[in-house]
Amino acid sequence: MPKALPRRHEVEEMNASLARKRGVRRRGGLPGDERSPSPSADEGRTWGAGRGLSARVVRRLDDLDKMATLQGGLLGPDPGALSPAQQEQLRNLKIQTRIANEKYLRTHKEVELLISGFFREMFLKRPDNIQEFAADYFTDPRLPNKIHMQLIKEKKAA
């Protein structure tokens, strides 16, 4: 089961524990938030807008309390978002889209030639600015003729 992010009170305890170990009394309930005082155990108050935290930080903490997370802090899918019928419909749509894309690519050999030619040139020349290289490559006025000649060579070879 994925490990969930710690709750607010657990974060408070960890911060207080670290501060005690370091012998430092820190200002700021969260790293980088020096505006809010850290709540101490004897104050018995909770974090919130009244404690000096910005509204954005409070919202973020509240959101973290609500979210299911995967190991490493990545957000996981929400299994309750779609009904089983909707999930099946989505799965079928994905399958049909992949089939349609595959058919298109098989009937348009020039797409493969464009992409493989681009990668070949990129790996041979190893440009520093790939975006600029790609723009130059795909706007080269000689490119359509190159692709056409490659298609003719492949038809003759077959």
Side-chain angles (χ1 to χ4, degrees):
M1 181 168 189
K3 184 178 177 184
L5 290 177
R7 303 282 185 212
R8 241 183 275 163
H9 70 279
E10 294 170 326
V11 172
E12 292 173 22
E13 291 170 10
M14 287 188 288
N15 284 341
S17 174
L18 285 172
R20 280 192 302 273
K21 285 180 184 176
R22 293 180 182 153
V24 175
R25 186 170 169 92
R26 292 183 53 186
R27 283 186 50 80
L30 293 173
D33 186 9
E34 301 302 323
R35 296 174 298 172
S36 64
S38 294
S40 64
D42 57 8
E43 286 178 328
R45 290 186 261 177
T46 59
W47 287 16
R51 297 286 300 136
L53 289 175
S54 70
R56 188 174 125 226
V57 171
V58 171
R59 272 194 314 276
R60 178 72 177 130
L61 287 171
D62 290 339
D63 289 346
L64 290 176
D65 285 345
K66 296 174 191 172
M67 288 187 228
T69 57
L70 300 172
Q71 191 170 6
L74 300 175
L75 296 179
D78 183 2
L82 296 176
S83 70
Q86 289 172 323
Q87 288 176 352
E88 181 65 21
Q89 210 174 9
L90 178 60
R91 191 178 77 76
N92 288 335
L93 176 66
K94 287 180 178 181
I95 291 169
Q96 293 305 315
T97 302
R98 286 185 182 179
I99 290 171
N101 290 345
E102 185 67 27
K103 285 179 180 178
Y104 179 83
L105 291 174
R106 286 182 185 194
T107 58
H108 294 278
K109 185 69 175 162
E110 64 273 15
V111 175
E112 182 183 334
L113 293 173
L114 280 166
I115 293 171
S116 64
F118 169 72
F119 277 116
R120 183 179 55 251
E121 290 294 315
M122 181 188 64
F123 288 128
L124 287 172
K125 295 181 180 176
R126 299 193 182 271
D128 290 330
N129 187 339
I130 294 175
Q131 290 176 331
E132 184 178 320
F133 177 79
D136 291 342
Y137 180 84
F138 288 110
T139 57
D140 182 355
R142 298 170 297 177
L143 184 61
N145 191 37
K146 287 180 186 176
I147 298 299
H148 181 70
M149 296 305 287
Q150 288 177 338
L151 285 170
I152 291 172
K153 283 182 187 176
E154 285 189 8
K155 283 184 182 179
K156 285 182 181 178

